mmCIF file of all heavy atoms in Angstrom:
data_model
loop_
_atom_site.group_PDB
_atom_site.id
_atom_site.type_symbol
_atom_site.label_atom_id
_atom_site.label_comp_id
_atom_site.label_asym_id
_atom_site.label_seq_id
_atom_site.Cartn_x
_atom_site.Cartn_y
_atom_site.Cartn_z
ATOM 1 N N ARG O 146 0.405 -10.886 4.350
ATOM 2 C CA ARG O 146 -0.651 -10.117 5.003
ATOM 3 C C ARG O 146 -0.092 -8.998 5.887
ATOM 4 O O ARG O 146 -0.537 -7.846 5.795
ATOM 5 C CB ARG O 146 -1.556 -11.050 5.817
ATOM 6 C CG ARG O 146 -2.470 -11.912 4.961
ATOM 7 C CD ARG O 146 -3.220 -12.940 5.783
ATOM 8 N NE ARG O 146 -2.318 -13.947 6.331
ATOM 9 C CZ ARG O 146 -2.712 -14.956 7.109
ATOM 10 N NH1 ARG O 146 -3.997 -15.058 7.437
ATOM 11 N NH2 ARG O 146 -1.841 -15.851 7.552
ATOM 12 N N ALA O 147 0.859 -9.311 6.725
ATOM 13 C CA ALA O 147 1.415 -8.293 7.624
ATOM 14 C C ALA O 147 2.155 -7.214 6.840
ATOM 15 O O ALA O 147 2.006 -6.016 7.113
ATOM 16 C CB ALA O 147 2.341 -8.949 8.643
ATOM 17 N N GLU O 148 2.952 -7.633 5.865
ATOM 18 C CA GLU O 148 3.712 -6.677 5.057
ATOM 19 C C GLU O 148 2.785 -5.761 4.263
ATOM 20 O O GLU O 148 3.034 -4.555 4.136
ATOM 21 C CB GLU O 148 4.647 -7.422 4.108
ATOM 22 C CG GLU O 148 5.750 -8.202 4.794
ATOM 23 C CD GLU O 148 5.342 -9.613 5.186
ATOM 24 O OE1 GLU O 148 4.119 -9.898 5.206
ATOM 25 O OE2 GLU O 148 6.232 -10.430 5.476
ATOM 26 N N PHE O 149 1.701 -6.335 3.713
ATOM 27 C CA PHE O 149 0.753 -5.560 2.920
ATOM 28 C C PHE O 149 0.046 -4.518 3.780
ATOM 29 O O PHE O 149 -0.113 -3.364 3.368
ATOM 30 C CB PHE O 149 -0.260 -6.510 2.289
ATOM 31 C CG PHE O 149 -1.307 -5.834 1.442
ATOM 32 C CD1 PHE O 149 -1.006 -5.379 0.169
ATOM 33 C CD2 PHE O 149 -2.598 -5.671 1.921
ATOM 34 C CE1 PHE O 149 -1.972 -4.767 -0.619
ATOM 35 C CE2 PHE O 149 -3.565 -5.058 1.144
ATOM 36 C CZ PHE O 149 -3.257 -4.605 -0.125
ATOM 37 N N LYS O 150 -0.357 -4.920 4.962
ATOM 38 C CA LYS O 150 -1.046 -3.955 5.832
ATOM 39 C C LYS O 150 -0.120 -2.807 6.203
ATOM 40 O O LYS O 150 -0.526 -1.629 6.204
ATOM 41 C CB LYS O 150 -1.581 -4.628 7.091
ATOM 42 C CG LYS O 150 -2.509 -3.711 7.910
ATOM 43 C CD LYS O 150 -3.188 -4.442 9.026
ATOM 44 C CE LYS O 150 -4.248 -3.546 9.673
ATOM 45 N NZ LYS O 150 -3.726 -2.266 10.186
ATOM 46 N N HIS O 151 1.143 -3.142 6.489
ATOM 47 C CA HIS O 151 2.098 -2.104 6.869
ATOM 48 C C HIS O 151 2.440 -1.183 5.702
ATOM 49 O O HIS O 151 2.533 0.037 5.871
ATOM 50 C CB HIS O 151 3.376 -2.766 7.399
ATOM 51 C CG HIS O 151 4.476 -1.792 7.698
ATOM 52 N ND1 HIS O 151 4.461 -0.947 8.786
ATOM 53 C CD2 HIS O 151 5.634 -1.509 7.022
ATOM 54 C CE1 HIS O 151 5.551 -0.201 8.776
ATOM 55 N NE2 HIS O 151 6.269 -0.513 7.719
ATOM 56 N N ALA O 152 2.605 -1.756 4.506
ATOM 57 C CA ALA O 152 3.083 -0.974 3.357
ATOM 58 C C ALA O 152 1.975 -0.284 2.584
ATOM 59 O O ALA O 152 2.209 0.758 1.961
ATOM 60 C CB ALA O 152 3.863 -1.886 2.407
ATOM 61 N N ILE O 153 0.760 -0.845 2.600
ATOM 62 C CA ILE O 153 -0.321 -0.313 1.755
ATOM 63 C C ILE O 153 -1.508 0.193 2.561
ATOM 64 O O ILE O 153 -1.951 1.328 2.389
ATOM 65 C CB ILE O 153 -0.812 -1.397 0.768
ATOM 66 C CG1 ILE O 153 0.367 -1.938 -0.055
ATOM 67 C CG2 ILE O 153 -1.899 -0.829 -0.140
ATOM 68 C CD1 ILE O 153 1.087 -0.927 -0.879
ATOM 69 N N VAL O 154 -2.036 -0.627 3.467
ATOM 70 C CA VAL O 154 -3.277 -0.281 4.157
ATOM 71 C C VAL O 154 -3.072 0.840 5.162
ATOM 72 O O VAL O 154 -3.846 1.811 5.192
ATOM 73 C CB VAL O 154 -3.883 -1.516 4.847
ATOM 74 C CG1 VAL O 154 -5.183 -1.149 5.562
ATOM 75 C CG2 VAL O 154 -4.142 -2.617 3.825
ATOM 76 N N ASP O 155 -2.044 0.735 5.988
ATOM 77 C CA ASP O 155 -1.824 1.774 7.003
ATOM 78 C C ASP O 155 -1.527 3.139 6.378
ATOM 79 O O ASP O 155 -2.086 4.155 6.824
ATOM 80 C CB ASP O 155 -0.707 1.358 7.955
ATOM 81 C CG ASP O 155 -1.100 0.169 8.823
ATOM 82 O OD1 ASP O 155 -2.307 -0.134 8.898
ATOM 83 O OD2 ASP O 155 -0.202 -0.459 9.414
ATOM 84 N N PRO O 156 -0.676 3.241 5.331
ATOM 85 C CA PRO O 156 -0.485 4.532 4.680
ATOM 86 C C PRO O 156 -1.767 5.071 4.038
ATOM 87 O O PRO O 156 -1.974 6.289 3.992
ATOM 88 C CB PRO O 156 0.583 4.245 3.614
ATOM 89 C CG PRO O 156 1.343 3.084 4.160
ATOM 90 C CD PRO O 156 0.308 2.244 4.842
ATOM 91 N N PHE O 157 -2.619 4.191 3.534
ATOM 92 C CA PHE O 157 -3.918 4.590 2.977
ATOM 93 C C PHE O 157 -4.742 5.298 4.050
ATOM 94 O O PHE O 157 -5.303 6.377 3.821
ATOM 95 C CB PHE O 157 -4.640 3.340 2.473
ATOM 96 C CG PHE O 157 -6.065 3.543 2.038
ATOM 97 C CD1 PHE O 157 -6.369 3.970 0.757
ATOM 98 C CD2 PHE O 157 -7.112 3.268 2.908
ATOM 99 C CE1 PHE O 157 -7.681 4.144 0.350
ATOM 100 C CE2 PHE O 157 -8.435 3.438 2.517
ATOM 101 C CZ PHE O 157 -8.717 3.870 1.230
ATOM 102 N N THR O 158 -4.797 4.720 5.228
ATOM 103 C CA THR O 158 -5.567 5.315 6.328
ATOM 104 C C THR O 158 -4.968 6.649 6.745
ATOM 105 O O THR O 158 -5.684 7.647 6.915
ATOM 106 C CB THR O 158 -5.587 4.347 7.525
ATOM 107 O OG1 THR O 158 -6.172 3.108 7.118
ATOM 108 C CG2 THR O 158 -6.403 4.924 8.670
ATOM 109 N N ARG O 159 -3.639 6.679 6.908
ATOM 110 C CA ARG O 159 -2.987 7.927 7.342
ATOM 111 C C ARG O 159 -3.152 9.038 6.317
ATOM 112 O O ARG O 159 -3.299 10.218 6.680
ATOM 113 C CB ARG O 159 -1.509 7.669 7.609
ATOM 114 C CG ARG O 159 -1.237 6.767 8.812
ATOM 115 C CD ARG O 159 0.230 6.828 9.227
ATOM 116 N NE ARG O 159 1.112 6.389 8.152
ATOM 117 C CZ ARG O 159 1.533 5.137 8.002
ATOM 118 N NH1 ARG O 159 1.122 4.197 8.848
ATOM 119 N NH2 ARG O 159 2.357 4.812 7.024
ATOM 120 N N ALA O 160 -3.147 8.682 5.036
ATOM 121 C CA ALA O 160 -3.273 9.699 3.989
ATOM 122 C C ALA O 160 -4.637 10.377 4.052
ATOM 123 O O ALA O 160 -4.732 11.606 3.933
ATOM 124 C CB ALA O 160 -3.049 9.074 2.621
ATOM 125 N N TYR O 161 -5.692 9.594 4.236
ATOM 126 C CA TYR O 161 -7.023 10.204 4.344
ATOM 127 C C TYR O 161 -7.110 11.083 5.592
ATOM 128 O O TYR O 161 -7.718 12.167 5.557
ATOM 129 C CB TYR O 161 -8.102 9.130 4.361
ATOM 130 C CG TYR O 161 -8.672 8.848 2.986
ATOM 131 C CD1 TYR O 161 -8.390 7.667 2.322
ATOM 132 C CD2 TYR O 161 -9.485 9.782 2.346
ATOM 133 C CE1 TYR O 161 -8.898 7.413 1.055
ATOM 134 C CE2 TYR O 161 -10.001 9.542 1.089
ATOM 135 C CZ TYR O 161 -9.704 8.355 0.441
ATOM 136 O OH TYR O 161 -10.204 8.122 -0.814
ATOM 137 N N GLU O 162 -6.530 10.635 6.684
ATOM 138 C CA GLU O 162 -6.537 11.452 7.898
ATOM 139 C C GLU O 162 -5.824 12.782 7.666
ATOM 140 O O GLU O 162 -6.177 13.797 8.262
ATOM 141 C CB GLU O 162 -5.854 10.701 9.042
ATOM 142 C CG GLU O 162 -6.671 9.573 9.624
ATOM 143 C CD GLU O 162 -5.986 8.932 10.808
ATOM 144 O OE1 GLU O 162 -4.879 8.384 10.622
ATOM 145 O OE2 GLU O 162 -6.549 8.973 11.915
ATOM 146 N N ALA O 163 -4.815 12.770 6.780
ATOM 147 C CA ALA O 163 -4.034 13.978 6.502
ATOM 148 C C ALA O 163 -4.668 14.862 5.437
ATOM 149 O O ALA O 163 -4.092 15.890 5.071
ATOM 150 C CB ALA O 163 -2.622 13.590 6.074
ATOM 151 N N GLY O 164 -5.822 14.461 4.913
ATOM 152 C CA GLY O 164 -6.508 15.274 3.913
ATOM 153 C C GLY O 164 -6.114 14.966 2.486
ATOM 154 O O GLY O 164 -6.379 15.767 1.584
ATOM 155 N N GLU O 165 -5.494 13.815 2.248
ATOM 156 C CA GLU O 165 -5.127 13.416 0.894
ATOM 157 C C GLU O 165 -6.126 12.402 0.343
ATOM 158 O O GLU O 165 -6.980 11.894 1.068
ATOM 159 C CB GLU O 165 -3.718 12.809 0.887
ATOM 160 C CG GLU O 165 -2.646 13.781 1.339
ATOM 161 C CD GLU O 165 -1.262 13.155 1.318
ATOM 162 O OE1 GLU O 165 -1.155 11.948 1.012
ATOM 163 O OE2 GLU O 165 -0.294 13.867 1.616
ATOM 164 N N THR O 166 -6.005 12.123 -0.957
ATOM 165 C CA THR O 166 -6.837 11.112 -1.609
ATOM 166 C C THR O 166 -5.889 10.088 -2.222
ATOM 167 O O THR O 166 -5.481 10.212 -3.378
ATOM 168 C CB THR O 166 -7.731 11.736 -2.690
ATOM 169 O OG1 THR O 166 -8.503 12.804 -2.119
ATOM 170 C CG2 THR O 166 -8.683 10.688 -3.274
ATOM 171 N N PRO O 167 -5.507 9.080 -1.465
ATOM 172 C CA PRO O 167 -4.472 8.149 -1.935
ATOM 173 C C PRO O 167 -4.980 7.165 -2.969
ATOM 174 O O PRO O 167 -6.186 6.944 -3.115
ATOM 175 C CB PRO O 167 -4.070 7.418 -0.649
ATOM 176 C CG PRO O 167 -5.337 7.413 0.159
ATOM 177 C CD PRO O 167 -5.989 8.746 -0.115
ATOM 178 N N ASN O 168 -4.046 6.557 -3.670
ATOM 179 C CA ASN O 168 -4.357 5.496 -4.627
ATOM 180 C C ASN O 168 -3.593 4.243 -4.193
ATOM 181 O O ASN O 168 -2.456 4.033 -4.596
ATOM 182 C CB ASN O 168 -3.939 5.906 -6.050
ATOM 183 C CG ASN O 168 -4.390 4.906 -7.096
ATOM 184 O OD1 ASN O 168 -4.417 3.702 -6.856
ATOM 185 N ND2 ASN O 168 -4.740 5.393 -8.273
ATOM 186 N N PRO O 169 -4.201 3.397 -3.360
ATOM 187 C CA PRO O 169 -3.472 2.239 -2.830
ATOM 188 C C PRO O 169 -3.112 1.215 -3.896
ATOM 189 O O PRO O 169 -2.096 0.527 -3.779
ATOM 190 C CB PRO O 169 -4.449 1.656 -1.804
ATOM 191 C CG PRO O 169 -5.806 2.087 -2.281
ATOM 192 C CD PRO O 169 -5.586 3.456 -2.867
ATOM 193 N N CYS O 170 -3.946 1.090 -4.932
ATOM 194 C CA CYS O 170 -3.648 0.113 -5.990
ATOM 195 C C CYS O 170 -2.389 0.504 -6.746
ATOM 196 O O CYS O 170 -1.611 -0.358 -7.169
ATOM 197 C CB CYS O 170 -4.834 -0.005 -6.945
ATOM 198 S SG CYS O 170 -6.341 -0.606 -6.157
ATOM 199 N N MET O 171 -2.183 1.794 -6.916
ATOM 200 C CA MET O 171 -0.969 2.274 -7.582
ATOM 201 C C MET O 171 0.262 1.954 -6.745
ATOM 202 O O MET O 171 1.281 1.476 -7.247
ATOM 203 C CB MET O 171 -1.088 3.793 -7.766
ATOM 204 C CG MET O 171 0.007 4.406 -8.560
ATOM 205 S SD MET O 171 -0.479 4.429 -10.268
ATOM 206 C CE MET O 171 0.907 5.287 -10.994
ATOM 207 N N ARG O 172 0.152 2.203 -5.456
ATOM 208 C CA ARG O 172 1.269 1.935 -4.553
ATOM 209 C C ARG O 172 1.577 0.440 -4.516
ATOM 210 O O ARG O 172 2.736 0.021 -4.486
ATOM 211 C CB ARG O 172 0.914 2.439 -3.149
ATOM 212 C CG ARG O 172 2.052 2.417 -2.154
ATOM 213 C CD ARG O 172 1.550 2.837 -0.778
ATOM 214 N NE ARG O 172 2.646 2.965 0.171
ATOM 215 C CZ ARG O 172 3.145 4.106 0.587
ATOM 216 N NH1 ARG O 172 2.668 5.241 0.120
ATOM 217 N NH2 ARG O 172 4.124 4.136 1.466
ATOM 218 N N CYS O 173 0.518 -0.376 -4.536
ATOM 219 C CA CYS O 173 0.691 -1.824 -4.482
ATOM 220 C C CYS O 173 1.310 -2.354 -5.768
ATOM 221 O O CYS O 173 2.333 -3.039 -5.748
ATOM 222 C CB CYS O 173 -0.658 -2.496 -4.234
ATOM 223 S SG CYS O 173 -0.591 -4.296 -4.202
ATOM 224 N N ASN O 174 0.689 -2.044 -6.907
ATOM 225 C CA ASN O 174 1.179 -2.559 -8.180
ATOM 226 C C ASN O 174 2.543 -1.986 -8.540
ATOM 227 O O ASN O 174 3.405 -2.696 -9.069
ATOM 228 C CB ASN O 174 0.188 -2.239 -9.298
ATOM 229 C CG ASN O 174 -0.988 -3.182 -9.294
ATOM 230 O OD1 ASN O 174 -0.883 -4.331 -9.693
ATOM 231 N ND2 ASN O 174 -2.130 -2.702 -8.827
ATOM 232 N N GLY O 175 2.741 -0.716 -8.253
ATOM 233 C CA GLY O 175 3.962 -0.058 -8.700
ATOM 234 C C GLY O 175 5.189 -0.369 -7.890
ATOM 235 O O GLY O 175 6.311 -0.209 -8.375
ATOM 236 N N ALA O 176 5.014 -0.845 -6.661
ATOM 237 C CA ALA O 176 6.187 -1.099 -5.833
ATOM 238 C C ALA O 176 6.051 -2.417 -5.087
ATOM 239 O O ALA O 176 6.724 -3.392 -5.385
ATOM 240 C CB ALA O 176 6.401 0.058 -4.850
ATOM 241 N N PHE O 177 5.153 -2.469 -4.142
ATOM 242 C CA PHE O 177 5.052 -3.620 -3.240
ATOM 243 C C PHE O 177 4.900 -4.942 -3.992
ATOM 244 O O PHE O 177 5.687 -5.867 -3.825
ATOM 245 C CB PHE O 177 3.865 -3.410 -2.298
ATOM 246 C CG PHE O 177 3.621 -4.558 -1.364
ATOM 247 C CD1 PHE O 177 4.342 -4.670 -0.192
ATOM 248 C CD2 PHE O 177 2.680 -5.521 -1.659
ATOM 249 C CE1 PHE O 177 4.123 -5.723 0.681
ATOM 250 C CE2 PHE O 177 2.456 -6.589 -0.802
ATOM 251 C CZ PHE O 177 3.178 -6.688 0.374
ATOM 252 N N ARG O 178 3.903 -5.044 -4.833
ATOM 253 C CA ARG O 178 3.596 -6.321 -5.483
ATOM 254 C C ARG O 178 4.728 -6.754 -6.425
ATOM 255 O O ARG O 178 5.159 -7.912 -6.403
ATOM 256 C CB ARG O 178 2.286 -6.191 -6.255
ATOM 257 C CG ARG O 178 1.745 -7.498 -6.810
ATOM 258 C CD ARG O 178 0.449 -7.246 -7.569
ATOM 259 N NE ARG O 178 -0.588 -6.698 -6.737
ATOM 260 C CZ ARG O 178 -1.655 -7.394 -6.315
ATOM 261 N NH1 ARG O 178 -1.779 -8.659 -6.658
ATOM 262 N NH2 ARG O 178 -2.583 -6.815 -5.567
ATOM 263 N N PHE O 179 5.214 -5.839 -7.253
ATOM 264 C CA PHE O 179 6.238 -6.219 -8.223
ATOM 265 C C PHE O 179 7.562 -6.522 -7.548
ATOM 266 O O PHE O 179 8.300 -7.417 -7.984
ATOM 267 C CB PHE O 179 6.390 -5.150 -9.300
ATOM 268 C CG PHE O 179 5.642 -5.493 -10.547
ATOM 269 C CD1 PHE O 179 4.276 -5.282 -10.622
ATOM 270 C CD2 PHE O 179 6.281 -6.065 -11.623
ATOM 271 C CE1 PHE O 179 3.568 -5.627 -11.755
ATOM 272 C CE2 PHE O 179 5.594 -6.416 -12.766
ATOM 273 C CZ PHE O 179 4.232 -6.196 -12.838
ATOM 274 N N ASP O 180 7.885 -5.799 -6.500
ATOM 275 C CA ASP O 180 9.114 -6.107 -5.781
ATOM 276 C C ASP O 180 9.082 -7.533 -5.247
ATOM 277 O O ASP O 180 10.057 -8.289 -5.361
ATOM 278 C CB ASP O 180 9.315 -5.127 -4.623
ATOM 279 C CG ASP O 180 9.731 -3.742 -5.092
ATOM 280 O OD1 ASP O 180 10.037 -3.589 -6.287
ATOM 281 O OD2 ASP O 180 9.726 -2.814 -4.262
ATOM 282 N N GLU O 181 7.956 -7.919 -4.655
ATOM 283 C CA GLU O 181 7.820 -9.264 -4.092
ATOM 284 C C GLU O 181 7.822 -10.329 -5.189
ATOM 285 O O GLU O 181 8.438 -11.388 -5.052
ATOM 286 C CB GLU O 181 6.531 -9.360 -3.263
ATOM 287 C CG GLU O 181 6.509 -8.486 -2.023
ATOM 288 C CD GLU O 181 7.428 -8.986 -0.921
ATOM 289 O OE1 GLU O 181 7.947 -10.115 -1.038
ATOM 290 O OE2 GLU O 181 7.619 -8.247 0.058
ATOM 291 N N LEU O 182 7.123 -10.064 -6.285
ATOM 292 C CA LEU O 182 7.020 -11.049 -7.358
ATOM 293 C C LEU O 182 8.355 -11.261 -8.076
ATOM 294 O O LEU O 182 8.727 -12.391 -8.404
ATOM 295 C CB LEU O 182 5.944 -10.627 -8.350
ATOM 296 C CG LEU O 182 4.496 -10.727 -7.855
ATOM 297 C CD1 LEU O 182 3.548 -10.068 -8.850
ATOM 298 C CD2 LEU O 182 4.094 -12.177 -7.618
ATOM 299 N N VAL O 183 9.063 -10.179 -8.330
ATOM 300 C CA VAL O 183 10.364 -10.310 -8.997
ATOM 301 C C VAL O 183 11.346 -11.045 -8.096
ATOM 302 O O VAL O 183 12.122 -11.899 -8.556
ATOM 303 C CB VAL O 183 10.905 -8.930 -9.405
ATOM 304 C CG1 VAL O 183 12.354 -9.024 -9.861
ATOM 305 C CG2 VAL O 183 10.046 -8.333 -10.526
ATOM 306 N N ALA O 184 11.307 -10.735 -6.799
ATOM 307 C CA ALA O 184 12.177 -11.439 -5.861
ATOM 308 C C ALA O 184 11.849 -12.927 -5.836
ATOM 309 O O ALA O 184 12.760 -13.772 -5.783
ATOM 310 C CB ALA O 184 12.037 -10.838 -4.462
#
């Protein structure tokens, strides 16, 4: 939970504040989730 919020949720919020349209599922599946699962 803590790692996910730091790696996925917080960047999602900051990206919208910066005028971007982020894709959190891509960031999660492409890096965070697979890194944890393979480990």
Side-chain angles (χ1 to χ4, degrees):
R146 287 173 293 179
E148 294 87 344
F149 180 77
K150 190 171 188 303
H151 175 73
I153 305 300
V154 180
D155 292 344
F157 172 85
T158 301
R159 292 194 300 268
Y161 266 109
E162 286 184 298
E165 298 180 357
T166 305
N168 187 325
C170 298
M171 186 91 176
R172 189 184 186 105
C173 178
N174 281 285
F177 177 83
R178 189 181 299 253
F179 261 80
D180 287 350
E181 295 288 350
L182 289 171
V183 170

